[in-house]
Amino acid sequence: MSVSALETKRLEAVLKGDEEVEVVGTGTDAVAYALMLADVDVTSAYPIRPYGGVMQTVARLIADGYMKAEYIVAAHEHDQFEIVKHASAVGARTFVGSSGVGWLLAIEAIVAISTDRYPVVALIGNRALDDPGAYGVEHNDALMVRDVGWLLVWVDTAQEALDTTLIAYRVAEDPRVMLPVGISMDGAFLTHSEHVFKIPPKKKVQQFLPPYDLGNRKLHPSNVISVAPQVNEDWVTEIRKQMDEAMKNARKVIEEAYRDFAKIFGRDYGNPFVEPYMVEDADVVMVGMGTVSKPIKEAVRRLRAKGERVGFLRIRWFRPFPTEDIIRYLSGVKVVAVVDRDYSFGSPFDGGAVFTEIRSALYETDHRPLMMNFIGGLGGREITYNDAINMFNMALEAARKSKVEQRVIWYGVRE
Amino acid sequence: MKRYLGNLDKPEERVNRALEAYQSLTKLREVKPGEGLPYKYEPPHLPGWKDMMIGGAIPGLKPNQRNPYFTGGTAKHYRPVINFDKCIKCSLCWEYCPDSVFDVTPDGYFNPALAYCKGCGICAEVCPVPDTIIMVDEMEFEDGYGKFLDEYRAWKENREAYRKWFESLLPKAQVISVRKR
């Protein structure tokens, strides 16, 4: 399969010209184009849906000569993540990705990537964990690594996927950070749906993204170092502390990256960490991650037209967690309703992971809102516009009564 | 013990091995206070998180650089003894030694700095001349920790005495260059 004449023309325009071009493609296509622009050196692939689309597009871009990269087909996901870890250690810009249980099969290598401090960028096509088998989206796969030093970001359009991939390399490879980034993309809803998006010219990407430089940590015969040693209790606390600092630094680095991105590409995402939607003077704010934003925003628009004071806050960066923004936007709101496309069995109040984290962040505020949690959309079940309206109505009811009758609601579960 | 081993298969071999092991143990003796080498414990320097390379990376040893933290030479069970009379100065021992133990002498021989040697025996394995590098049980020697014999100097001072000493060690050697064990 080779690219069409039209696509050839467009790709040549972005690689050689000064203007961006508009194309139609899936969320994973958008990421692949970003990898082409970022001059990724090594990518290792192992098929699993819904992440797999990016493999196909990258393979095609390499085969047709638009991208120069080592494309290594791994034996399995653990192999796949080990390959990029080692490639990153010798100074290659790397890309990798997986979904659901594939991501978890690689977990040992995934943790070593962050603890060894290699700025790998991974695409997680969010998928429910087996068993029972399901191809659809759930966020538990990516959330499994929330505590081990991976930066985690959720996107909701193909354009944002492309832009965030470029930003991810810039943030990950910053000497103040040097941590891997996991870009989460809702399986099917974004990985496989077609969007119109713009591919920026490579010249601008080169302005935005400096070359990958590991400095004195580059494994090379002329720079003799040992990496990943056995250090036990003498060193482990200090090495974890370094990661803690890097993760805290990431907040500043992310802000800088979005600011420069807006300057160079002319697309301004506003607040990098969260996307507030009609939250001013809102009594009820829904919070969610990923493509659930689409039906919820539509519901917000219609309810606002009817005079209801509702809003929506989409979390982009889950790690580092946007604590200050959560406090700024949600303190003083009457009811905060968190939509979790995940579960955290046995967690505080038996809620979802996002709910629990937001609740924890809001503990410090003077005006704590009432909090509700909708666990929904599991295994790829759709959350529709009507569902969003229903959820808002339940939250508005709680706001009127100033009381939450049921804190955690398994939305749409069949009795 | 003999009676017990005698009931198993290959009784003679078993008895001989047991005797050999016992005899090697009887060479051990108690070290009395004040008799050993002076040693002062110095706690290792543990750097703070701001001073360490990130990700637990550690600057490595450059080629031909010896580990400055390992100077006791206590890790080895066997040590290389060199027959300088036979040495052809091929440099393979120097080339292969993983701890860069061999010093090049002004006349082109290779002299092991035994304080850094871990006793791996690679030098004896790669030496292409028969009976030139041998690995001998550390129990055969009185010198040790920190102050080891300088083999090259001993040879230079008295070649005849060195040759006799070497020949006395040859039957006890565990690894002998070129020869099969």
Side-chain angles (χ1 to χ4, degrees), chain A residues 65-385:
Chain A
Y66 296 106
M67 188 176 166
K68 284 193 179 70
E70 286 290 331
Y71 186 98
I72 301 169
V73 180
H76 43 73
E77 286 89 352
H78 186 278
D79 197 16
Q80 200 191 352
F81 281 75
E82 282 291 336
I83 287 167
V84 289
K85 184 184 83 179
H86 289 88
S88 190
V90 297
R93 181 171 282 160
T94 54
F95 173 78
V96 69
S98 196
S99 286
V101 286
W103 170 252
L104 290 200
L105 177 65
I107 197 79
E108 187 209 4
I110 286 171
V111 175
I113 287 170
S114 63
T115 52
D116 289 346
R117 308 289 298 277
Y118 293 125
V120 170
V121 172
L123 174 69
I124 308 149
N126 295 132
R127 167 175 166 174
L129 300 173
D130 299 346
D131 288 334
Y135 295 129
V137 52
E138 245 175 50
H139 292 162
N140 277 81
D141 52 359
L143 288 172
M144 283 284 172
V145 306
R146 65 182 187 175
D147 299 331
V148 294
W150 275 70
L151 278 69
L152 294 176
V153 58
W154 264 261
V155 296
D156 78 338
T157 60
Q159 186 69 64
E160 198 185 15
L162 190 154
D163 296 349
T164 305
T165 306
L166 298 175
I167 290 167
Y169 281 109
R170 161 107 174 221
V171 172
E173 293 170 5
D174 190 291
R176 293 165 288 177
V177 179
M178 278 291 169
L179 288 170
V181 178
I183 301 168
S184 274
M185 187 185 277
D186 285 357
F189 295 123
L190 182 49
T191 56
H192 287 66
S193 66
E194 298 242 319
H195 298 235
V196 176
F197 60 89
K198 288 169 179 161
I199 310 178
K202 192 169 180 177
K203 280 179 191 162
K204 285 188 180 175
V205 175
Q206 283 165 337
Q207 275 176 48
F208 175 72
L209 189 59
Y212 173 38
D213 182 11
L214 258 177
N216 65 351
R217 288 199 306 129
K218 183 173 166 176
L219 272 186
H220 189 272
S222 67
N223 181 46
V224 188
I225 54 166
S226 279
V227 293
Q230 182 77 10
V231 296
N232 299 340
E233 70 274 24
D234 286 341
W235 280 38
V236 168
T237 310
E238 285 69 28
I239 286 164
R240 303 280 186 254
K241 175 63 188 160
Q242 289 177 334
M243 292 176 70
D244 174 57
E245 285 299 309
M247 190 56 98
K248 287 193 279 195
N249 290 343
R251 290 197 179 91
K252 190 166 175 275
V253 176
I254 290 169
E255 267 183 31
E256 289 172 12
Y258 277 82
R259 204 165 49 226
D260 281 2
F261 190 91
K263 235 183 268 170
I264 293 169
F265 298 95
R267 244 191 316 283
D268 194 346
Y269 282 88
N271 187 321
F273 300 100
V274 293
E275 183 196 4
Y277 187 76
M278 296 191 182
V279 291
E280 300 77 23
D281 76 12
D283 290 335
V284 169
V285 175
M286 200 91 92
V287 186
M289 301 198 297
T291 54
V292 75
S293 61
K294 302 295 168 197
I296 296 177
K297 281 181 182 172
E298 184 58 24
V300 168
R301 266 200 297 276
R302 306 243 187 131
L303 288 171
R304 280 271 177 182
K306 285 187 196 165
E308 299 285 7
R309 301 208 297 192
V310 294
F312 173 63
L313 190 69
R314 179 168 69 90
I315 295 183
R316 267 196 206 102
W317 290 85
F318 186 79
R319 283 290 181 273
F321 194 75
T323 321
E324 277 179 25
D325 298 297
I326 293 293
I327 290 173
R328 184 190 318 152
Y329 290 111
L330 300 183
S331 170
V333 168
K334 281 187 185 161
V335 174
V336 169
V338 181
V339 183
D340 265 290
R341 215 159 203 160
D342 63 81
Y343 43 81
S344 181
F345 299 127
S347 64
F349 302 101
D350 303 299
V354 184
F355 167 76
T356 307
E357 299 252 324
I358 290 176
R359 217 181 134 87
S360 168
L362 291 175
Y363 185 82
E364 294 300 320
T365 61
D366 296 330
H367 305 284
R368 288 183 211 143
L370 294 173
M371 287 202 63
M372 295 174 76
N373 186 197
F374 295 103
I375 309 266
L378 299 186
R381 188 176 290 183
E382 201 172 351
I383 293 175
T384 62
Y385 160 76

